[in-house]
Amino acid sequence: MLANKKILICVTGGIAVYKAVALVSKLSQAGADVKVVMTKSAMEFVTPLTFQAMSRNDVYFDTFDEKDSRVIAHIDLADWADLVIVAPATANVIGKVANGISDDMVTTVLLATTAEVWFAPAMNVNMYEKRSVIRNIDTLAKDGYRFIEPSEGFLACGYVGKGRLEEPEKIVKLVQENFVPKNLPLTGKKVVITAGPTRERIDPVRYVSNFSSGKMGYAMAEAATKLGAKTILVSGPVSLNPPSGVQVIHVESAAEMFEAVSRNYDDAEIVIKAAAVADYRPAEIHPQKIKKSDSDSVINLERTTDILKTLGERKQQQILVGFAAETENVIENGMGKLERKNLDFIIINDVTDPDGGFGNDTNVVTLLSKNGTNKLYPAMPKNDLATLLLEAIIEEVKVGNSHDR
Ligand code: PMT
C-alpha cells in the first residue's frame, strides 16, 4: 500500500529511539521509501548505521555534511518527502519547531519542508503535562501539524502515565490510512481480476497452456487500483511484476484459479476474467516423466470447469465482466458468451489482429453490455485501454442502473 510513498523519519533523542527502528523497518516492509534524519542526542541511543540498514538509504545528521554536491541536503530531503514523521518527538524538538528555531539537521528539514508533518511525542509524563509543552503542542496543532498521541503505560524513567511512543504498528496503520485515495469511483470496492494463462500438467516436466502474457489482466488490475479499488489479482504463471497496491494470488492450473476466484467471489463488487483459462486438461497427470518411444503418442484431454459460467450461475450483486478471445465471427461469438455465461459485460478481442491479443502491449477490443451498448476501442496500449474500459463499465452501471443482477 505504501509503494512509491516517500516518508522521512526525524528521530530525536529519547529512549523510544529503539521503537523508531521498528517503525522504519515496518514502513520499508510496507513498500515505502524511507529516509532518516537524526539529532545528535538520538545517536546516543542508536547509531545511524542501524537506520541505514533498516531503510537501505543514507542517514542524515549533520547539516554541513553534504553527501551530494549537486543539492543542499536539508532542502533536498525537505522537498523529497511526501510525509514527515518526528518519532520519537522530544519536548525539545516540539519547542524548537513551535518557535521557528532550526539549529540542526532535523529542525532545518522541518522548517524547510512543505510536506505534512506528524509528531509522535515520547517523554516523561510530567514533561508531557508541563504547561510550556502543552502550549507548544497547541501552537503546532493550530499551525496544521498533526500529533500521534503517546500511549499510557510504564515509562522508561520509572513513572507510569502518558508518554510512551505509540506502537510502530499503529503508526504504520495511520500512515497507510493517510494514503488511501479518497472519493475515487471504486474506493472501498473489492474487485477481483484474473490474468495470464493456466498450465495443465501432463507430467512433472510438461504442460498444456497458451500464449497469454498476463499484460491485459495486469493492466486491468492496475487501473482498478488507481480508481480506488481493493484489488485481488488471481494470476496464472507470467513474468510480470505485480502492480503496486494489488493483492496477488498466484495459481497454476484452471482448478487452482477456480478455487482462488470462488474464495473471493461472495463479497466482490466487480469480477473481471481476463485470464486465458485452459478449456481442457490432460485426463491423467503422469507422476513420472513420460519416456519417448518411436511410436506416436496421444494425450487424452478432459474439460476444465468453465469458471466464468459457474460464477454467472452464482451471481448476486457482482458485476461480471468476461473477455472473449475470438478468431472468427468475433462479435457474434462474443455476444453468445455474454448470454450463455450470464455476464454484465464482455470485452471482445479479435486475437488475430496484429495490434492486439496475446502477448502484445496494445489491444483492440469491443465492449458489449447486456443492455445492448456496444463500443469499439481502437488499438492502444493495454494500460490506457484498461482505464477506459473500467470507466465505461462504472459509468454504465451507475447511469443505466438497470443491471437486474
Ligand atoms: O494476457 P495477454 O497476453 O495480455 O493477452 C490478453 C488476452 C488475449 C488473453 C485477453 O485479452 C483475453 O481475451 N482473455 C480471455 C481469453 C479467453 O480465454 O477467452 P475465451 O473466449 O476462451 O473465454 C471467455 C471467458 O471465459 C474469458 O473471460 C475466460 O477467462 C473465461 N473462461 C474460459 C474458460 C474456462 N475454463 N474458464 C473461464 O472462466
Side-chain angles (χ1 to χ4, degrees):
M1 278 184 79
L2 295 180
N4 305 322
K5 298 290 179 274
K6 293 180 240 144
I7 301 175
L8 186 64
I9 304 293
C10 294
V11 185
T12 66
I15 186 63
V17 168
Y18 79 94
K19 282 167 105 176
V21 176
L23 175 63
V24 169
S25 165
K26 285 180 192 306
L27 287 170
S28 300
Q29 284 171 39
D33 191 4
V34 186
K35 291 189 180 179
V36 176
V37 187
M38 301 177 78
T39 60
K40 290 237 156 30
S41 317
M43 290 177 349
E44 296 290 332
F45 294 90
V46 170
T47 64
L49 185 60
T50 307
F51 284 107
Q52 183 184 311
M54 289 299 158
S55 64
R56 297 297 166 114
N57 272 317
D58 287 339
V59 173
Y60 300 78
F61 45 87
D62 183 348
T63 325
F64 303 104
D65 175 19
E66 297 291 1
K67 295 179 197 295
D68 179 351
S69 59
R70 290 165 305 176
V71 295
I72 308 293
H74 65 279
I75 303 295
D76 193 45
L77 283 170
D79 291 346
W80 172 86
D82 294 323
L83 174 67
V84 181
I85 306 176
V86 189
T90 56
N92 186 51
V93 77
I94 291 169
K96 280 186 187 175
V97 179
N99 291 285
I101 296 168
S102 66
D103 61 355
D104 62 6
M105 191 63 178
V106 165
T107 46
T108 47
V109 168
L110 289 171
L111 195 60
T113 192
T114 53
E116 197 172 324
V117 177
W118 298 0
F119 284 89
M123 63 193 80
N124 164 275
V125 59
N126 293 338
M127 291 164 85
Y128 189 64
E129 288 173 357
K130 188 69 69 178
R131 287 207 61 75
S132 57
V133 173
I134 293 171
R135 208 166 42 237
N136 287 332
I137 289 176
D138 285 349
T139 302
L140 288 174
K142 279 190 201 121
D143 286 349
Y145 292 87
R146 180 169 162 187
F147 280 81
I148 302 171
E149 280 211 24
S151 54
E152 285 191 35
F154 185 78
L155 304 176
C157 53
Y159 279 78
V160 175
K162 200 165 189 173
R164 287 169 60 88
L165 179 68
E166 185 52 278
E167 293 308 318
E169 293 79 3
K170 183 85 182 287
I171 299 178
V172 173
K173 194 159 172 278
L174 292 172
V175 173
Q176 286 173 331
E177 284 166 8
N178 179 64
F179 284 115
V180 170
K182 293 160 189 89
N183 300 325
L184 292 171
L186 295 178
T187 297
K189 311 252 186 263
K190 178 172 171 183
V191 176
V192 179
I193 296 171
T194 69
T198 64
R199 279 182 190 168
E200 312 302 328
R201 287 180 184 230
I202 299 169
D203 69 14
V205 298
R206 303 181 181 96
Y207 55 82
V208 176
S209 190
N210 59 64
F211 292 112
S212 170
S213 63
K215 288 177 188 168
M216 192 68 240
Y218 275 55
M220 295 300 291
E222 186 169 10
T225 308
K226 284 190 176 151
L227 290 168
K230 177 175 176 289
T231 310
I232 314 271
L233 175 63
V234 180
S235 174
V238 297
S239 52
L240 299 174
N241 290 325
S244 69
V246 169
Q247 184 191 332
V248 188
I249 304 175
H250 294 282
V251 298
E252 184 179 282
S253 63
E256 287 172 12
M257 184 171 279
F258 182 43
E259 197 276 323
V261 174
S262 301
R263 215 171 345 112
N264 282 287
Y265 189 52
D266 288 352
D267 58 346
E269 301 267 351
I270 305 180
V271 178
I272 302 172
K273 289 226 67 247
V277 185
D279 289 315
Y280 292 91
R281 66 178 169 218
E284 180 190 359
I285 304 177
H286 290 261
Q288 307 301 332
K289 184 180 169 196
I290 301 168
K291 295 282 177 206
K292 63 174 171 292
S293 68
D294 290 337
S295 54
D296 292 343
S297 173
V298 172
I299 297 169
N300 286 319
L301 299 176
E302 65 182 16
R303 281 297 312 265
T304 56
T305 304
D306 188 326
I307 305 171
L308 191 54
K309 187 161 181 289
T310 312
L311 298 179
E313 287 158 6
R314 295 182 191 162
K315 187 150 65 109
Q316 303 275 322
Q317 81 288 348
Q318 299 89 349
I319 295 157
L320 204 49
V321 184
F323 270 78
E326 303 298 341
T327 56
E328 56 183 342
N329 302 327
V330 174
I331 299 298
E332 295 81 343
N333 287 344
M335 208 181 277
K337 285 176 186 169
L338 175 85
E339 283 160 14
R340 275 199 309 283
K341 301 192 185 202
N342 190 24
L343 308 180
D344 296 286
F345 296 90
I346 193 145
I347 298 159
I348 307 169
N349 30 200
D350 177 349
V351 289
T352 62
D353 190 319
D355 289 330
F358 291 88
N360 277 329
D361 288 337
T362 56
N363 208 357
V364 187
V365 302
T366 300
L367 173 69
L368 291 189
S369 87
K370 69 184 224 181
N371 290 343
T373 53
N374 172 336
K375 182 157 188 226
L376 172 70
Y377 293 81
M380 68 179 90
K382 284 177 175 169
N383 282 320
D384 296 343
L385 178 63
T387 304
L388 291 181
L389 288 168
L390 268 169
E391 284 174 350
I393 289 167
I394 293 164
E395 185 61 20
E396 175 158 341
V397 172
K398 187 165 58 98
V399 175
N401 232 359
S402 55
H403 284 261
D404 48 329
R405 294 180 287 279

